[in-house]
Amino acid sequence: MPSGSAPGGTRNTVNGAVSFWYAGTGLPEPRPPLPGDAEVDVAIVGAGYTGLWSAYYLKKAEPSLRIAVLESRFAGFGASGRNGGWLANSITGGRTGYERTHGRAGTVRFQELLNESVDEVIAVAAAEGIEADIVKGGELLVARNAAQLGRLDALAAEAARWPDDAVRLGPAETAARLRVAGALGSVHIPHCARIQPARLVRGLAAAVERLGVAIHEGTTATEILAGTAAARPVVVTDRGRVRARHVLRATEGFTANLKGLHREWLPMNSSMIVTEPLPPDVWEEVGWDGCETVEDMAHAYVYLQRTADGRIAIGGRGVPYRYGSRTDLDGATQPQTVDLLAGILREMFPAAGDAAIEHAWAGVLGVPRDWKATVGYSPDTGVGFAGGYVGTGVTATNLAGRTLADLVLGRPSELTGMPWVNRKVRRWEVEPVRWLAVQAMYAAYHRADRQERDGRTGTAPLAVLADRVSGRSH
Ligand SMILES: Cc1cc2nc3c(=O)[nH]c(=O)nc-3n(C[C@H](O)[C@H](O)[C@H](O)COP(=O)(O)OP(=O)(O)OC[C@H]3O[C@@H](n4cnc5c(N)ncnc54)[C@H](O)[C@@H]3O)c2cc1C
């Protein structure tokens, strides 16, 4: 940890080192790589939440299965070890699209399953002895100007149609939970818990190993060869080839690096910063005793949590996307992103204005062309996958893992009938169109936020246009 940071400063901020969530414990001891060619029942590429939940539920259902997880760095290296720690009930890309394509009843059930998944993660963590600083305080969406308030009201009206159990709070009720400067109101949704992400993923990796799953770290897959009537699928890695009855791809924001999948999901960066621990008098001014996860209603929104050790962690999109779908390696983010997030933090919580920013980092998440996640499996090729969660995968990965387990085991279930299963989504455009489109979209969101901060009362048309062009729906 840096010492002697200037008040409110970022000069000594640690940047990268995967994420702050590893700062207390250090990075985990590496597990040995794949020793050479192998044959298993299920090979899983990627040891984040998706890969590990899939392994967990498969092994629980069929203890005799031989399962190998192949991980290029270490379990929890990706977004699962870097995220904002919102164990939320969100359906990636919204519900209205699914309501149109799959009907109301199926979409309502999908939402209920995500609500239940929040509790499932909490229950498994308790059963497996995973200490992940979990507090189920719900999420609080806060409006800070007139245009945001309009969107908040629309959100509250829409939430009332779904099993969100959302409650619209006025300024005083909001302040009773949390004092955000300029807050005009909020919506509280109880189906969300604050977690320490890296503790969850490390605990899950250990739980999966206890069940007898092999995790091979330092093992990079370069290609997945689909199975045929005559041959099983194969994962080609830098350490050997793994033949399996089933192969699951759980590489999310890194998927573009695999052969043939460059345009599947755009790798989008999200960045975070965390303050030093705040003194009791600051917490007295801020409140936040319920540890709700917090988000504002800006287009280029920010998300926050109060950490177990009394800091504020805040995240948002900085430089959202690197040309050619390049993914970063060790979580370093751009200095201007650190300054941007630190500025928003001080604006929201003037009482924390003197707090040093101790750590900054970034991670990569997978964005499909239609901004909706998919769980897929083909019995013909033996290959499955899950991902494209955009920024809402912490809970969805659990439901995805349970769904993949049913698909692999050939067990049709309520989960395998959900609207996100086996969707066909078109691929992203080639460069430079892809890069230009994302830059233009985020420039539009930032300009729309500025216009709204300067007094525009309705949602800025620029933001609506950016949503349309990008294919993003709410
Ligand atoms: C900064 C940030 C904040 C976020 N905040 C939230 C939040 O608060 N709430 C929420 O719901 N979601 C959030 N998300 C998204 C969420 O973290 C992800 O959706 C989720 O962690 C995805 O898990 P995963 O296992 O699919 O992917 P990852 O955790 O990215 O795991 C993929 C793994 O695959 C490995 N891998 C990749 N390529 C290969 C290869 N070729 N061979 C072998 N291994 C490979 C990687 O090293 C990695 O360990 C956030 C994401 C980021 C980046």
Side-chain angles (χ1 to χ4, degrees):
M1 268 308 103
S3 59
S5 290
T10 57
R11 200 164 40 88
N12 295 327
T13 304
V14 175
N15 190 352
V18 184
S19 81
F20 162 74
W21 307 120
Y22 290 104
T25 54
L27 297 178
E29 278 294 304
R31 297 174 169 91
L34 182 73
D37 289 354
E39 172 134 13
V40 293
D41 296 313
V42 185
I44 298 174
V45 183
Y49 301 139
T50 299
L52 295 171
W53 281 126
S54 303
Y56 183 82
Y57 289 107
L58 276 166
K59 199 70 180 166
K60 282 274 182 187
E62 286 285 344
S64 64
L65 283 178
R66 293 166 306 157
I67 304 178
V69 181
L70 310 165
E71 165 57 50
S72 60
R73 298 290 296 271
F74 60 84
F77 171 74
S80 300
R82 307 188 196 190
N83 63 72
W86 282 52
L87 183 66
N89 71 339
S90 319
I91 292 182
T92 310
R95 300 171 277 213
T96 41
Y98 286 129
E99 192 180 14
R100 271 195 304 275
T101 53
H102 290 78
R104 176 141 182 92
T107 313
V108 166
R109 187 62 196 131
F110 190 23
Q111 183 60 68
E112 287 168 351
L113 283 169
L114 277 153
N115 295 356
E116 290 161 21
S117 298
V118 172
D119 295 324
E120 168 71 8
V121 173
I122 295 171
V124 175
E128 298 292 347
I130 302 171
E131 302 279 348
D133 299 337
I134 302 178
V135 178
K136 192 178 178 193
E139 70 180 77
L140 201 63
L141 300 138
V142 182
R144 298 179 55 230
N145 60 42
Q148 290 191 16
L149 195 63
R151 283 199 293 281
L152 187 79
D153 283 330
L155 181 143
E158 175 61 16
R161 299 203 307 116
W162 300 97
D164 277 347
D165 307 302
V167 180
R168 172 78 165 83
L169 304 175
E173 294 161 306
T174 304
R177 287 178 179 270
L178 168 74
R179 264 83 71 193
V180 174
L184 300 174
S186 63
V187 166
H188 181 257
I189 298 173
H191 304 287
C192 184
R194 185 279 319 266
I195 66 161
Q196 207 279 28
R199 285 179 172 225
L200 177 63
V201 74
R202 289 180 72 155
L204 195 53
V208 156
E209 270 181 325
R210 283 196 299 273
L211 292 174
V213 171
I215 302 177
H216 302 291
E217 296 185 339
T219 302
T220 301
T222 49
E223 188 177 6
I224 295 171
L225 305 172
T228 62
R232 291 189 165 173
V234 170
V235 184
V236 182
T237 81
D238 58 348
R239 303 284 184 163
R241 294 162 74 94
V242 182
R243 218 159 69 96
R245 277 160 54 209
H246 314 273
V247 170
L248 300 179
R249 190 184 86 224
T251 48
E252 226 319 81
F254 303 88
T255 301
N257 298 332
L258 285 165
K259 193 168 174 191
L261 296 170
H262 193 61
R263 288 165 53 199
E264 199 76 2
W265 295 328
L266 181 144
M268 181 89 81
N269 290 308
S270 200
S271 298
M272 296 199 72
I273 59 169
V274 68
T275 65
E276 62 186 335
L278 303 177
D281 60 311
V282 171
W283 282 118
E284 219 150 273
E285 275 195 53
V286 169
W288 211 348
D289 297 330
C291 293
E292 299 89 345
T293 59
V294 173
E295 185 175 308
D296 71 355
M297 294 297 294
H299 299 291
Y301 59 86
V302 287
Y303 49 90
L304 304 96
Q305 73 150 270
R306 175 181 177 159
T307 67
D309 58 351
R311 306 162 189 261
I312 297 178
I314 173 170
R317 303 283 148 76
V319 175
Y321 168 66
R322 289 156 202 253
Y323 189 85
S325 288
R326 277 176 296 141
T327 44
D328 79 61
L329 278 182
D330 285 317
T333 189
Q334 298 80 2
Q336 67 265 38
T337 301
V338 180
D339 291 342
L340 179 89
L341 291 172
I344 297 173
L345 172 78
R346 288 186 195 113
E347 212 182 279
M348 291 177 83
F349 302 105
D354 284 343
I357 305 302
E358 275 200 357
H359 203 132
W361 69 99
V364 67
L365 38 92
V367 181
R369 187 64 180 83
D370 69 352
W371 296 70
K372 289 183 168 61
T374 304
V375 179
Y377 178 77
S378 158
D380 297 337
T381 63
V383 176
F385 67 92
Y389 311 105
V390 191
T392 53
V394 175
T395 306
T397 48
N398 175 274
L399 188 59
R402 287 189 278 146
T403 308
L404 279 173
D406 284 351
L407 289 165
V408 163
L409 296 172
R411 269 188 336 202
S413 67
E414 180 181 40
L415 304 195
T416 62
M418 283 298 115
W420 66 340
V421 175
N422 283 328
R423 292 183 330 110
K424 296 278 169 279
V425 182
R426 83 176 156 108
R427 296 189 304 162
W428 282 92
E429 289 77 0
V430 292
E431 297 291 20
V433 177
R434 189 163 68 220
W435 184 81
L436 286 171
V438 178
Q439 300 305 312
M441 178 178 82
Y442 272 88
Y445 286 145
H446 284 296
R447 268 186 62 195
D449 284 333
R450 272 198 303 276
Q451 289 172 4
E452 292 175 6
R453 204 161 44 230
D454 293 345
R456 195 193 167 86
T457 51
T459 288
L462 260 176
V464 178
L465 182 70
D467 282 348
R468 270 207 202 114
V469 172
S470 66
R472 182 184 193 181
S473 57
H474 296 282

